[in-house]
Amino acid sequence: MLKINNLHARVEDKEILKGINLTVNAGEVHAIMGPNGSGKSTLAAVIAGKEEFEVTEGEVFLEGENLEDTSPEDRAHKGIFLSFQYPVEIPGVSVTNFMKTAINESRKAKGLEDMPAKDMLKLIREKSEMLEIDRKFLSRSLNEGFSGGEKKRNEIFQMAMLEPKLAILDETDSGLDIDALRIVANGVNKLKSKDNAVIVITHYQRLLEYIVPDFVHVLHNGKIVKSGTKDLALELEEKGYDWLKQETVI
Amino acid sequence: MAYTEEELKKELETKEYEYGFYTDIESDTFPNGLNEEIVIAISKKKEEPEWMTLWRLESFKIWKEMVEPEWANVKYKKPDFQAISYYSAPNKKPKYDSLDEVDPELLDTFKKLGISLDEQKKLAGVAVDIVMDSVSVATTFKKTLAEKGIIFCSISEAIKEHSELVKKYIGSVVPQKDNFYAALNSAVFSDGSFCYIPKGVRCPMELSTYFRINQAGTGQFERTLVIADEGSYVSYLEGCTAPSRDENQLHAAVVELIALDDAEIKYSTVQNWFPGNKEGKGGVFNFVTKRGLCEKNAKISWTQVETGSAVTWKYPSCILKGDNSIGEFYSIAVTNNYQQADTGTKMIHLGKNTKSTIISKGISAGKSQNSYRGLVQVNSRADNARNFSQCDSLLMGNECGAHTFPYIEVKNKTAQIEHEATTSKIGEDQIFYCNQRGINTEKAIALIVNGFSKEVLNKLPMEFAVEAQKLLEISLEGSVG
Ligand SMILES: Nc1ncnc2c1ncn2[C@@H]1O[C@H](COP(=O)(O)OP(=O)(O)OP(=O)(O)O)[C@@H](O)[C@H]1O
Ligand SMILES: [Mg+2]
């Protein structure tokens, strides 16, 4: 599904990603953990094609295709979805309208007609029920005045609507209350299949109890310094990152 | 038979209605320049009664004494008023023989707006080969209005046929001496619309200049007069979303609205004059005076979407004369490339318990300058007057400007005035967020702009709103690299 080779990326003069290697196969769940500022969100943004970051070395492949010259919207059309750590507000644009536009743009890219309104409404109903979202909420302006948790749940709603091949969830769990965490995690699990893959970026073991990862990676200072199974997450919860940081220094 | 708007629309779709409305008049253009003889000649050409001729002459005298205003936040080369021809009858000779000769960029825009081929031809000034007889549509339309006693015709026709009404109200809201351009318009106006809604009548359809009989395009000096008699209601649409190219550089229109006791007038405008090319060459100068007068319990709403013109200078205003009257102004002004717009409104509170609302959305891109200029004036007798103003500016890029000039003059202590202003920029994060969801940058901007303008777009009649939305998209195309 996703293959990242020796990826280096910088913003202005600052190198943030310093040689990332990562392979994610269809059907897998990968967790990425790591201290603040280690480059997790940057990695997510680079995979999604944010042009602010300059890739200086290495490459990203999606289903064998080098994404080097692929625009962010085309990457989205190819099935990459990013649940933002900090979702952006768009005043005056309702969640429904935003989703309608997103879905139809993707369809257009594939040479399909707009989704009929009837199907769209059905899809919205189905997905909002799954994530226990009040439909009134969907006519509000996108992320404007949403609480932290509402924003995150809304990101997962969008993911459910778009049914991506590769979903990257950047700290989707932070800000969610206990019930919301369970609902959101269940939603993600329902969307999981042998044909798609999920990367969850998180600081907490708790989420991983719901969305059980096949692999856990620790990112530190722009590099993956350790990979393991879900037990690694438990170990991190217990010991913190210091032992890993020291390992890399040595 | 009651004829609903829906039915009319259907009928119009099936009949090539527009061409049938056109009466051919031989081409007939006056020599350049302006003097008393020209003013008299215009009046004569239009077979006007003597009082009208005298009114025009008086206006001309006033205009000669006036100087062009300097205070708007716009810069342009002043028009040479002696180099303009003040009368040009609709020309029946087509500009082009086929669409192939028309500027492809213009055709492209037509296509995006979803304008039919035949209509494209008409708008671009191409010879139209099929002239359908649509007299029946026109007649039905007129009949429905006539049954209710509604008068809707060209101002020239009204001057002849409804002389007493015109005489009573013309210049009553925008006096000849009001300003330089209003005076000029009063002297030389050659076209425009007239509308009268009788007491207690709700006009059953949106009145649009588009439907008006015998009207070929917009004149250079348009004059519009709308009178809503006591307790009546009318929604009036002006303009067209199709890009209007015109060899006339200067446009100076006057619109007067009169809402008598308990009446309501909704006046919506979509303006899309040629703004000049990307280097800022060409383009229309649009200097408009629009004003409405509200008597007791009356209400006037101005809604406008302005995307065109090289230079726009326009302040639709309300005089809230009657007690409990209401004035509203909802505006979206878009400027791109080298466009300059100085728009806004004046709300003059004279009566007690009068209320006004101003929502202004300015969108600037490219190297354009977009100014809001608003005056809220509360006179000493206007107890409990209330105003709410909100002026939001959206900037795209670093080379454009947005300016807000709110003027507030309050002479009554009971007044409540609220003013809010915001300036925002379309952020890269917003664009990336949209991109990540599969929405390209162009579409993302359209979405953000639409969201920003929503409060105003919502005030437009449905069909107009959809067109206006498309228009916003097109005007901002290519504005973010
Ligand atoms: N646009 C930018 N300009 C300058 N520095 C940046 C920019 N974006 C990210 N950085 C820096 O890159 C480093 C990695 O940031 P990133 O957001 O990827 O961290 P993170 O691992 O997601 O952290 P957190 O756990 O706090 O979310 C940080 O030091 C950050 O300050
Ligand atoms: Mg982060």
Side-chain angles (χ1 to χ4, degrees):
Chain A
M1 171 79 54
L2 179 75
K3 191 160 167 47
I4 299 175
N5 282 338
N6 188 32
L7 184 67
H8 290 252
R10 63 201 285 168
V11 59
E12 284 145 26
D13 292 336
K14 190 177 166 190
E15 180 156 59
I16 302 173
L17 302 182
K18 303 172 181 167
I20 304 262
N21 292 294
L22 180 68
T23 302
V24 178
N25 296 309
E28 290 177 353
V29 175
H30 289 240
I32 296 177
M33 305 183 78
N36 294 134
S38 56
K40 301 181 297 296
S41 297
T42 304
L43 175 61
V46 170
I47 296 172
K50 192 168 188 179
E51 273 140 24
E52 196 184 341
F53 299 105
E54 188 196 345
V55 174
T56 49
E57 234 186 296
E59 50 280 311
V60 178
F61 294 92
L62 183 76
E63 300 191 298
E65 183 188 349
N66 191 336
L67 294 182
E68 196 179 341
D69 298 321
T70 310
S71 67
E73 59 270 25
D74 284 339
R75 293 181 195 215
H77 300 153
K78 289 180 194 301
I80 293 179
F81 178 89
L82 172 58
S83 166
F84 284 70
Q85 182 174 5
Y86 304 109
V88 178
E89 296 182 3
I90 306 188
V93 177
S94 69
V95 179
T96 307
N97 188 16
F98 186 67
M99 273 295 93
K100 198 179 88 190
T101 310
I103 286 177
N104 286 334
E105 286 296 298
S106 280
R107 290 174 66 98
K108 197 159 86 191
K110 296 182 185 100
L112 298 169
E113 296 280 298
D114 280 3
M115 183 182 274
K118 190 171 79 324
D119 299 354
M120 184 75 72
L121 288 171
K122 198 172 142 238
L123 191 67
I124 288 173
R125 190 169 317 131
E126 196 182 297
K127 303 298 184 185
S128 57
E129 270 165 21
M130 179 177 88
L131 292 161
E132 298 180 33
I133 291 174
D134 184 351
R135 292 234 295 291
K136 268 190 233 127
F137 188 80
L138 302 178
S139 43
R140 279 176 60 182
S141 287
L142 186 66
N143 292 321
E144 200 185 28
F146 287 15
S147 75
E150 285 168 344
K151 284 184 185 170
K152 296 304 174 72
R153 193 188 295 215
N154 182 244
E155 292 290 291
I156 299 305
F157 169 72
Q158 295 183 37
M159 169 186 156
M161 291 289 291
L162 295 166
E163 300 183 335
K165 280 198 194 119
L166 174 71
I168 306 166
L169 313 184
D170 192 356
E171 295 196 28
T172 302
D173 52 341
S174 47
L176 290 178
D177 66 41
I178 299 160
D179 292 334
L181 181 69
R182 190 175 32 77
I183 294 162
V184 163
N186 282 341
V188 174
N189 285 331
K190 270 188 212 156
L191 296 165
K192 241 177 60 188
S193 79
K194 62 173 181 18
D195 299 320
N196 58 28
V198 184
I199 298 174
V200 284
I201 296 171
T202 182
H203 287 295
Y204 307 105
Q205 152 66 18
R206 207 183 48 192
L207 176 71
L208 303 180
E209 281 168 16
Y210 292 105
I211 306 174
V212 183
D214 301 295
F215 299 96
V216 175
H217 310 277
V218 179
L219 195 63
H220 173 54
N221 201 10
K223 279 187 180 153
I224 291 180
V225 293
K226 195 159 185 72
S227 295
T229 59
K230 63 179 194 306
D231 295 338
L232 177 58
L234 285 169
E235 199 179 346
L236 290 171
E237 186 99 337
E238 218 172 280
K239 299 206 259 180
Y241 291 114
D242 275 355
W243 59 288
L244 282 172
K245 288 184 191 170
Q246 271 151 21
E247 262 180 28
T248 51
V249 170
I250 296 161
Chain B
M1 185 192 76
Y3 210 81
T4 67
E5 207 187 335
E6 202 48 48
E7 285 165 324
L8 183 74
K9 242 186 270 160
K10 271 208 200 96
E11 186 156 359
L12 290 177
E13 274 164 20
T14 50
K15 295 192 183 182
E16 301 285 325
Y17 58 95
E18 51 267 31
Y19 316 115
F21 287 4
Y22 198 98
T23 349
D24 286 341
I25 304 167
E26 287 303 316
S27 167
D28 180 356
T29 303
F30 281 18
N32 289 353
L34 187 55
N35 53 45
E36 283 192 4
E37 279 75 63
I38 293 282
V39 174
I40 294 168
I42 292 170
S43 192
K44 207 163 174 185
K45 191 87 209 160
K46 306 190 90 51
E47 299 167 354
E48 288 172 352
E50 197 192 351
W51 67 264
M52 194 68 233
T53 315
L54 293 175
W55 195 78
R56 285 180 183 274
L57 282 171
E58 196 187 325
S59 308
F60 176 68
K61 236 160 84 197
I62 293 168
W63 178 72
K64 270 200 313 196
E65 304 296 313
M66 295 176 102
V67 283
E68 232 183 313
E70 296 274 3
W71 46 272
N73 192 28
V74 293
K75 292 192 187 71
Y76 59 94
K77 195 173 160 289
K78 299 231 166 87
D80 177 355
F81 294 98
Q82 295 304 335
I84 295 171
S85 164
Y86 288 84
Y87 184 82
S88 173
N91 192 332
K92 93 172 188 184
K93 198 168 154 280
K95 269 202 288 214
Y96 310 101
D97 290 323
S98 88
L99 271 181
D100 300 339
E101 297 167 36
V102 180
D103 181 358
E105 203 183 306
L106 184 68
L107 292 180
D108 201 37
T109 312
F110 284 158
K111 234 176 41 219
K112 285 180 196 143
L113 282 165
I115 292 169
S116 76
L117 259 181
D118 287 328
E119 200 167 356
Q120 288 185 24
K121 286 185 186 170
K122 187 191 164 207
L123 291 165
V126 174
V128 177
D129 36 20
I130 22 159
V131 179
M132 301 279 289
D133 179 14
S134 54
V135 174
S136 66
V137 182
T139 318
T140 327
F141 182 71
K142 265 198 148 168
K143 219 175 94 196
T144 317
L145 295 180
E147 270 166 17
K148 305 230 172 212
I150 296 168
I151 304 167
F152 184 39
C153 61
S154 75
I155 191 91
S156 315
E157 193 182 330
I159 289 168
K160 283 182 279 184
E161 309 288 325
H162 309 283
S163 193
E164 46 331 306
L165 276 172
V166 178
K167 195 172 174 184
K168 182 166 173 195
Y169 288 107
I170 197 167
S172 70
V173 188
V174 179
Q176 295 141 292
K177 60 177 189 302
D178 189 80
N179 68 67
F180 185 81
Y181 297 109
L184 177 63
N185 176 290
S186 302
V188 302
F189 73 89
S190 54
D191 216 325
S193 303
F194 175 84
C195 168
Y196 171 80
I197 316 290
K199 268 185 200 169
V201 168
R202 247 190 106 80
C203 184
M205 53 184 81
E206 317 268 358
L207 290 187
S208 156
T209 42
Y210 208 62
F211 286 112
R212 219 189 50 228
I213 326 300
N214 292 341
Q215 153 80 342
T218 324
Q220 190 177 10
F221 299 98
E222 256 199 303
R223 184 100 197 178
T224 303
L225 181 58
V226 178
I227 304 155
D229 211 330
E230 292 173 19
S232 68
Y233 167 84
V234 63
S235 167
Y236 188 96
L237 311 181
E238 171 200 60
C240 174
T241 50
S244 323
R245 293 217 175 185
D246 199 308
E247 56 254 56
N248 296 323
Q249 211 183 14
L250 174 72
H251 282 252
V254 171
V255 176
E256 292 178 281
L257 309 184
I258 294 117
L260 297 178
D261 291 0
D262 305 299
E264 180 177 350
I265 301 175
K266 260 183 86 152
Y267 194 100
S268 313
T269 307
V270 172
Q271 186 269 115
N272 188 19
W273 291 111
F274 181 51
N277 64 13
K278 291 205 164 60
E279 283 76 49
K281 298 240 166 59
V284 167
F285 295 170
N286 194 24
F287 303 108
V288 184
T289 308
K290 290 181 161 181
R291 196 172 300 149
L293 177 81
C294 286
E295 295 288 355
K296 246 182 8 210
N297 305 321
K299 178 174 172 182
I300 289 179
S301 308
W302 297 100
T303 307
Q304 58 175 33
V305 178
E306 300 273 331
T307 66
S309 296
V311 180
T312 304
W313 178 96
K314 180 174 180 181
Y315 317 91
S317 307
C318 295
I319 301 172
L320 303 172
K321 176 168 167 246
D323 292 350
N324 312 314
S325 60
I326 298 173
E328 294 175 338
F329 173 76
Y330 302 101
S331 163
I332 302 170
V334 181
T335 52
N336 198 355
N337 298 323
Y338 287 87
Q339 279 176 277
Q340 307 174 61
D342 196 293
T343 68
T345 184
K346 287 183 218 166
M347 292 291 175
I348 314 291
H349 293 254
L350 300 175
K352 294 183 177 47
N353 308 315
T354 45
K355 259 199 331 201
S356 62
T357 304
I358 298 170
I359 310 277
S360 160
K361 306 273 182 179
I363 300 161
S364 348
K367 295 185 192 321
S368 67
Q369 295 296 324
N370 202 326
S371 306
Y372 167 82
R373 190 184 301 279
L375 168 68
V376 176
Q377 193 182 69
V378 177
N379 286 61
S380 53
R381 283 172 300 109
D383 293 340
N384 304 315
R386 280 196 283 158
N387 163 267
F388 173 75
S389 304
Q390 187 186 321
C391 303
D392 299 323
S393 309
L394 187 67
L395 299 174
M396 302 167 66
N398 296 318
E399 291 177 289
C400 53
H403 316 272
T404 308
F405 307 98
Y407 303 96
I408 297 169
E409 294 169 12
V410 177
K411 297 200 184 103
N412 186 310
K413 284 203 187 78
T414 59
Q416 284 179 41
I417 310 282
E418 275 178 83
H419 180 89
E420 286 175 12
T422 66
T423 302
S424 50
K425 235 180 125 165
I426 295 190
E428 277 176 21
D429 286 344
Q430 281 178 316
I431 304 265
F432 177 65
Y433 189 83
C434 294
N435 289 163
Q436 207 302 303
R437 299 302 188 245
I439 301 166
N440 67 30
T441 302
E442 205 103 76
K443 191 89 193 171
I445 289 167
L447 200 66
I448 295 165
V449 166
N450 267 325
F452 174 78
S453 318
K454 200 166 138 199
E455 280 163 279
V456 176
L457 289 174
N458 281 347
K459 296 287 171 190
L460 287 172
M462 187 55 186
E463 215 188 40
F464 231 35
V466 173
E467 285 182 38
Q469 224 168 39
K470 272 198 246 170
L471 188 59
L472 288 181
E473 273 176 43
I474 291 168
S475 336
L476 291 167
E477 233 165 51
S479 53
V480 164

